[in-house]
Amino acid sequence: MPPIARRWYPDPVSQVPIHPGLFTLPGDPRGPRLLAARCPSCAGLHFPAGETCPYCGTDGCREEAIGAEGRLWLWTAVRTAPPGYRGPVPYGFGVVDLPEGLRIVSRLASAEVERLREGQAVDLVIEPLFTNDAGDEVLSFAYAPREAR
Amino acid sequence: MKGGRAVHVAGVGLHPFGRFDGKDVTRLGQHAVREALAEAGVGRGGFGAAFCGTVYTGVAAGHKVLSGLGLSGVPIVNVEAGCASGGAALSLGAAAIASGQHDRVLVFGMEKMPRGIIRSSFFPPWCEEAGLSPAPAYFALRARRLMLESGVTREHLARVSVKNHANGVDNPFAMFRKPFTTEQVLASQVVCDPLTLYMLCSPNEGAAAVVLSCEPGPVGPPVRVLASVLRSHRPGSVLGEHTPMSGLPGAEPPTPTETAAREAWEQAGIDPRDLDLAEVQDTDSGREILSVEELGLCERGGGGRFVEDGVGERTGRLPVNPSGGLLSKGEPLGASALGQVVELAWQLRGSAGPRQVEGARLALGHTVGRGANASVVVLGR
C-alpha cells in the first residue's frame, strides 16, 4: 500500500489584540466587552483603563468590563486611510453612549452614513482589522448597528 | 490690560500663508520678524525678550530665527500650544509688558506643515493603527452635533465656506483666493460626512510677528492688546480638542474657548456685544459656527440662526473672518493666531484695504486645538 500523502495544514491563524488591556478576547466568558475603569472616589468611568482617574486624579481605579451595547450619538465615515491606519476604508467613526455611563469614541462597523441615526442601538464587536507583519490577525473593537446586521 | 500697564502693538509683520518650496521655516520666520521690527523702529537691543510659537519646527526654533539675524542674547522662549501656539506666545509677551518686566518684546510664530492629514505624536501608535486619530473625523462629529443641537444644515456649513472664500479673494496673504458657490462647496468631495473638501482648511506654511510695547508704535493710530488669554480643557467632554477616547454623558464642563472668553471679557473690561469684528478658528466650517457659539457671540444652540441671518457676513452686524479665515488663508499652526493679530491690527488702524470693516474699534482673535488649548485675544483702539 502506498504511503498516505502527507496533507498540508495551514497553521491556525493566531489572533492578537491591537493593544493589550482594551477589550476582552474571543473565548472570554464575559463576551465582547471594553475594559474601562471606575474611580473609587468620584465613580466616573474612563476608557482605556488607567490607574489614575482622569476626572479627579484619584489612584486605585478598578477595571470594569462594559459596553456590550450602546446607542449611537454622533457618526461620520473616514474615506481616506489616515496615517498609521492599517484597516480597510471607508470605515465608520462615531461616538456611542453606553448605559453604564460612558461616551466612547469608536470605529463603527458600518460606513453607510445615510443609514445611521441618532439613538440607534449598536453592539460591540471584537473583530480582525488587519494582518500584521508576523501574519497574526490583529483584533480591534467597533460598534455595529443592530438593524444592519 | 486690567491691573497692569497698557500693552501696545507697536509693529506687525506677516509672511503670506501658502506653500513655499525651497524656503525653510527659519526664513519664513525671519521675514515676519524683520517686518515687525522695522515697523516698530526697533533693532538689536530694542526688545527685552522674544516668544516664539511653533509646533512642528523642532528644537530651538525661535533661536534659529533670531541667531540668523544677529538678534540673539535676550531670553528666547519657544512655545508649543497646538493651534493656539501663537496666542500662548502673545499672552506671555503681553504679561511681560503689563507687569513691567520688559518695555518691549518680540512675539512671533511660524510653521511649515507636513502635507496631507496631519500626523501627530499626540496619539499612541495603536490609536492610529485602529483608525481613531484622523482630525477631520473629529471635526465631522462636532459638525454633526451642531446639526443635531444647533439647527445647522449642510447649506449653513457650505455658506460659511462661501463667505470665507469670498473674503479671501481680497486678501493677498491668503493661499486660496477663488470664490465658490454653495453648490460647488456641497458638490466637492466628501471627506468626512457632513464635511466636504471645500469646508476644510488646508495645513500650510507662513509666519507672523508683532512687537509689543508699553508705548504706542510709530505707525498708525495706537492699537492696544486689551486681553490675551490661554486656557486648557477640563476633563469630561468626549468631543474636546484633547480628543480623549471616552468622556462622561450629561452636563459637560465649559470648553477651553468658553473659559478663555470669559476671562478675556473680564481682563479687557468689555462686553462682547461691542465687538466690531472677529477672527475665529475655522479649521472647518462647522468649527467657525461652534467657535461663535462658544465665544458667546450668539447663544448656545443658535449657530444655525447666526449663519441664516448673515450676522457674520462682511456686511453683517459682526463680520466673522473678514480676512477669509483659515479656510482661505490655510493653517500654519504656530503662525495662525498671530496672523489674526496682524490682520486685526490692520483693521483697527484702518489699513486693511478692501477687507476693511469700517470704523472698527474693538476686535477679537480666537484659536483652539490640540492639547486642548484655546486662545482669546481682544485688541482695541
Side-chain angles (χ1 to χ4, degrees):
Chain A
M1 216 166 86
I4 297 169
R6 277 181 66 189
R7 275 187 64 192
W8 178 79
Y9 291 95
D11 285 335
V13 173
S14 61
Q15 295 186 320
V16 296
I18 196 160
H19 190 72
L22 295 175
F23 43 76
T24 56
L25 298 175
D28 189 305
R30 294 172 291 186
R33 296 286 188 282
L34 296 176
L35 301 177
R38 190 180 294 278
C39 175
S41 175
C42 75
L45 275 169
H46 69 270
F47 172 85
E51 166 75 9
T52 304
C53 175
Y55 311 117
C56 72
T58 304
D59 288 337
C61 294
R62 298 273 300 273
E63 183 182 286
E64 276 187 32
I66 65 166
E69 57 177 36
R71 298 268 172 190
L72 188 62
W73 180 33
L74 304 167
W75 65 95
T76 187
V78 178
R79 295 173 188 284
T80 308
Y85 176 63
R86 299 191 61 180
V89 287
Y91 65 93
F93 183 79
V95 178
V96 172
D97 275 338
L98 304 181
E100 293 89 346
L102 195 64
R103 287 188 150 154
I104 288 279
V105 173
S106 177
R107 213 164 52 81
L108 303 176
S110 167
E112 294 180 74
V113 288
E114 59 286 349
R115 297 187 59 181
L116 299 173
R117 61 177 199 279
E118 188 188 12
Q120 187 169 6
V122 292
D123 296 302
L124 180 66
V125 291
I126 309 293
E127 55 185 18
L129 182 62
F130 62 92
T131 301
N132 68 15
D133 300 338
D136 304 318
E137 283 187 346
V138 177
L139 301 173
S140 192
F141 65 96
Y143 279 89
R146 197 168 290 166
E147 284 83 347
R149 295 170 76 210
Chain B
M1 296 198 295
K2 212 171 191 178
R5 296 196 296 177
V7 179
H8 290 269
V9 177
V12 299
L14 189 63
H15 187 287
F17 291 4
R19 284 291 182 187
F20 307 98
D21 292 339
K23 193 170 187 181
D24 70 25
V25 67
T26 299
R27 283 182 60 210
L28 298 178
Q30 288 171 342
H31 174 108
V33 162
R34 278 195 143 148
E35 270 190 14
L37 292 174
E39 196 181 83
V42 166
R44 185 178 175 78
F47 56 95
F51 302 91
C52 170
T54 188
V55 178
Y56 287 88
T57 311
V59 176
H63 296 70
K64 288 188 190 171
V65 169
L66 296 185
S67 298
L69 298 174
L71 292 169
S72 59
V74 298
I76 304 167
V77 181
N78 297 294
V79 185
E80 185 275 309
C83 300
S85 294
L90 189 81
S91 70
L92 293 175
I97 302 292
S99 68
Q101 185 188 10
H102 295 293
D103 288 337
R104 266 197 301 268
V105 299
L106 171 66
V107 182
F108 61 106
M110 71 265 181
E111 210 73 63
K112 205 171 173 77
M113 300 289 293
R115 290 177 191 265
I117 293 182
I118 302 168
R119 187 153 201 184
S120 169
S121 58
F122 183 83
F123 286 104
W126 73 263
C127 274
E128 293 192 326
E129 290 180 0
L132 297 175
S133 69
Y138 285 90
F139 297 169
L141 297 181
R142 295 187 196 115
R144 175 83 56 195
R145 185 184 191 181
L146 289 171
M147 293 173 74
L148 294 175
E149 298 179 1
S150 293
V152 169
T153 64
R154 288 167 198 274
E155 286 69 26
H156 291 147
L157 293 171
R159 196 168 153 186
V160 168
S161 178
V162 168
K163 168 179 72 70
N164 290 2
H165 281 103
N167 290 345
V169 170
D170 287 327
N171 189 347
F173 297 90
M175 184 179 190
F176 302 104
R177 301 186 62 191
K178 195 178 134 191
F180 291 117
T181 64
T182 303
E183 293 69 32
Q184 284 173 314
V185 174
L186 289 172
S188 65
Q189 182 195 338
V190 175
V191 176
C192 284
D193 186 85
L195 300 177
T196 65
L197 188 61
Y198 295 164
M199 295 178 191
L200 287 154
C201 93
S202 179
N204 65 355
E205 305 167 20
V210 301
V211 174
L212 299 180
S213 171
C214 62
E215 293 172 342
V219 177
V223 170
R224 285 188 301 144
V225 178
L226 301 178
S228 178
V229 179
L230 180 73
R231 286 290 182 273
S232 65
H233 67 285
R234 285 166 49 182
S237 169
V238 75
L239 288 185
E241 288 81 9
H242 56 306
T243 51
M245 292 292 103
S246 69
L248 299 174
E252 290 178 24
T255 65
T257 295
E258 288 173 318
T259 53
R262 275 180 219 158
E263 174 62 20
W265 315 146
E266 171 75 16
Q267 210 176 82
I270 64 148
D271 185 327
R273 284 171 297 192
D274 294 334
L275 288 166
D276 296 307
L277 75 152
E279 292 283 331
V280 308
Q281 182 88 8
D282 62 333
T283 21
D284 67 276
S285 39
R287 178 69 247 185
E288 176 172 310
I289 300 172
L290 184 57
S291 298
V292 163
E293 285 197 12
E294 291 183 339
L295 289 163
L297 305 180
C298 75
E299 61 186 341
R300 270 295 206 174
R305 186 69 195 271
F306 186 91
V307 176
E308 186 71 36
D309 292 347
V311 180
E313 303 280 337
R314 217 197 285 190
T315 52
R317 180 175 55 74
L318 177 66
V320 175
N321 287 323
S323 71
L326 303 179
L327 283 171
S328 68
K329 288 189 289 189
E331 189 192 25
L333 292 191
S336 64
L338 293 170
Q340 291 177 339
V341 171
V342 172
E343 175 76 12
L344 296 175
W346 288 335
Q347 287 280 359
L348 295 172
R349 288 175 183 173
S351 62
R355 307 187 300 288
Q356 184 65 44
V357 174
E358 286 310 318
R361 300 190 65 87
L362 197 59
L364 168 81
H366 162 252
T367 53
V368 59
R370 183 77 75 216
N373 293 288
S375 150
V376 174
V377 179
V378 180
L379 298 188
R381 76 168 164 92

